[in-house]
């Protein structure tokens, strides 16, 4: 393994700062700097961007992002034990790394970032989906970020990129694909992490589209999709009957057979249905 910077190897950082992994914080660390540099490269050209990283831990991905040329990295970490290790990295890259100790669900990072902004993170699994949904549902579009490059459990990654007709297809796929391009960029086995998690992981890369793929009101689309997939085995005329008394007519107006199930309905059809329901 070749070093990507002059800092100590991550195993030594972990030993020096006694960063034994805590399950409660979703700590599965990446210690191979070649791998973290590869993940950083999935985020695209970072030289003109500020990068928001959630959960830097001992800083493997942080070092990858900086070594790959990120203009600036803002790293938000909840575990105070990691902060001295991250400050060491900040000293090695003067003016390019800002570390905030805090809970990513509470901290507003925008005050510390200058556009264009990309997000890159090996997310703590317990808050990964919640953060993704927040980033995909801002009050205004385009969002603050140009792209999201995020590690998820493989099963979540598959839900993000899922297509109609598959079991993984649901609310997350619609949310992600309505206003972004989403693809799985890398797969990682449990052994890539220390300690290894129980399941495989994958890096998903999402690029924000300037406009939604199909026009729809965000709140209505979200309501329709939630209702449809909450009872995914039911026919839509039953699953959606709470949304409008004449739901069968509205489904037909949107080009959807009332006997279809949510799993078969395309993103375009969901957007059309949101339009018909809003009327
Ligand atoms: N990025 C590091 C790596 O790749 O080795 C660590 C990834 S580990 C999967 C998740 C990291 O998120 C841990 O460092 C953990 O302490 C941190 N974390 C957990 N909950 C958090 C929260 N609510 N806000 C910010 N960081 C959090």
């Amino acid at each position: 393994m070749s070093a990507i910077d002059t800092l100590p190897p991550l195993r030594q950082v972990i030993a020096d700062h006694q960063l034994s992994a805590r399950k409660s914080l979703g700590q599965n660390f990446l210690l191979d700097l070649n791998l973290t540099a590869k993940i950083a490269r999935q985020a695209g050209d970072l030289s003109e961007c500020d990068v928001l990283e959630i959960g830097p831990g001992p800083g493997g991905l942080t070092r990858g992002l900086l070594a790959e040329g990120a203009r600036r990295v803002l790293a938000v970490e909840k575990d105070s034990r990691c902060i001295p290790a991250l400050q060491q990295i900040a000293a090695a890259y003067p003016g390019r790394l800002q570390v905030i100790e805090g809970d990513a669900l509470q901290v507003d990072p925008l005050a510390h970032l200058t556009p264009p902004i990309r997000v890159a993170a090996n997310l703590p699994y317990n808050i990964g989906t919640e953060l993704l949904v927040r980033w995909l549902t801002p009050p205004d579009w385009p969002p603050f970020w140009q792209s999201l490059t995020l590690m998820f459990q493989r099963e979540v990654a598959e839900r993000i990129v899922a297509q109609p007709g598959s079991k993984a297809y649901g609310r997350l796929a619609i949310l992600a694909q309505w206003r972004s391009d989403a693809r799985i960029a890398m797969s990682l086995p449990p052994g890539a992490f220390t300690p290894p998690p129980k399941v495989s992981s994958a890096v998903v890369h999402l690029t924000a589209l300037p406009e939604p793929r199909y026009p729809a009101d965000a709140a209505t689309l979200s309501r329709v999709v939630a209702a449809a997939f909450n009872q995914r085995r039911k026919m839509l005329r039953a699953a959606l009957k709470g949304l409008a008394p004449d739901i069968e007519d509205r489904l037909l107006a949107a080009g959807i057979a009332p006997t279809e199930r949510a799993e078969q309905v395309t993103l375009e059809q969901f957007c059309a249905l949101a339009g018909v329901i809003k009327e």
Side-chain angles (χ1 to χ4, degrees):
M1 187 180 85
S2 61
I4 58 169
D5 52 40
T6 54
L7 290 157
L10 284 159
R11 279 188 199 284
Q12 192 184 323
V13 172
I14 286 182
D16 290 349
H17 298 274
Q18 299 179 356
L19 302 178
S20 55
R22 291 196 177 145
K23 214 173 175 177
S24 60
L25 287 167
Q27 291 183 334
N28 301 99
F29 300 133
L30 290 168
L31 304 186
D32 177 347
L33 289 168
N34 288 319
L35 183 58
T36 60
K38 190 170 168 194
I39 296 168
R41 284 197 290 278
Q42 307 304 319
D45 180 2
L46 302 177
S47 59
E48 306 287 321
C49 296
D50 277 12
V51 180
L52 170 63
E53 184 191 2
I54 304 300
L61 181 57
T62 320
R63 287 164 64 172
L65 293 165
L66 289 164
E68 288 301 315
R71 177 177 71 188
R72 264 186 83 246
V73 176
L74 176 69
V76 181
E77 173 57 58
K78 191 172 175 183
D79 185 351
S80 59
R81 298 176 308 159
C82 299
I83 305 302
L86 295 164
Q87 294 303 359
Q88 245 182 346
I89 305 172
Y93 289 93
R96 290 178 57 203
L97 172 61
Q98 182 181 352
V99 181
I100 296 183
E101 181 183 339
D103 182 340
L105 295 173
Q106 310 294 335
V107 169
D108 177 11
L110 288 186
H112 307 277
L113 291 162
T114 308
I117 299 164
R118 293 180 186 254
V119 180
N122 174 13
L123 289 171
Y125 287 147
N126 49 347
I127 62 165
T129 312
E130 181 170 349
L131 282 172
L132 175 65
V133 170
R134 282 192 194 185
W135 290 327
L136 291 173
T137 54
D140 301 303
W141 199 268
F144 75 87
W145 48 272
Q146 277 189 342
S147 70
L148 308 172
T149 306
L150 306 172
M151 182 87 68
F152 288 102
Q153 289 163 280
R154 175 93 209 173
E155 174 262 327
V156 177
E158 278 166 7
R159 279 166 43 208
I160 295 167
V161 303
Q163 295 299 309
S166 71
K167 269 216 177 95
Y169 185 60
R171 184 169 163 254
L172 210 49
I174 302 283
L175 265 188
Q177 296 170 37
W178 179 40
R179 297 188 285 196
S180 345
D181 277 327
R183 64 182 169 83
I184 293 184
M186 273 173 78
S187 295
L188 286 92
F193 302 84
T194 304
K198 287 204 172 66
V199 293
S200 294
S201 302
V203 175
V204 181
H205 184 73
L206 298 108
T207 313
L209 299 172
E211 299 282 337
R213 219 175 280 279
Y214 309 105
D217 171 65
T220 313
L221 179 63
S222 166
R223 220 153 43 91
V224 169
V225 170
F229 285 103
N230 274 347
Q231 304 185 67
R232 59 188 298 144
R233 275 190 224 105
K234 283 200 177 164
M235 290 179 192
L236 288 170
R237 65 179 175 210
L240 300 182
K241 68 172 188 280
L243 292 183
D246 54 348
I247 191 64
E248 291 213 17
D249 292 343
R250 293 189 194 233
L251 282 161
L252 289 169
I256 304 169
T259 50
E260 291 247 56
R261 289 169 174 81
E263 221 166 273
Q264 307 299 332
V265 178
T266 64
L267 171 59
E268 185 173 10
Q269 288 175 314
F270 271 122
C271 291
L273 182 59
V276 173
I277 292 216
K278 197 165 159 57
E279 281 165 20

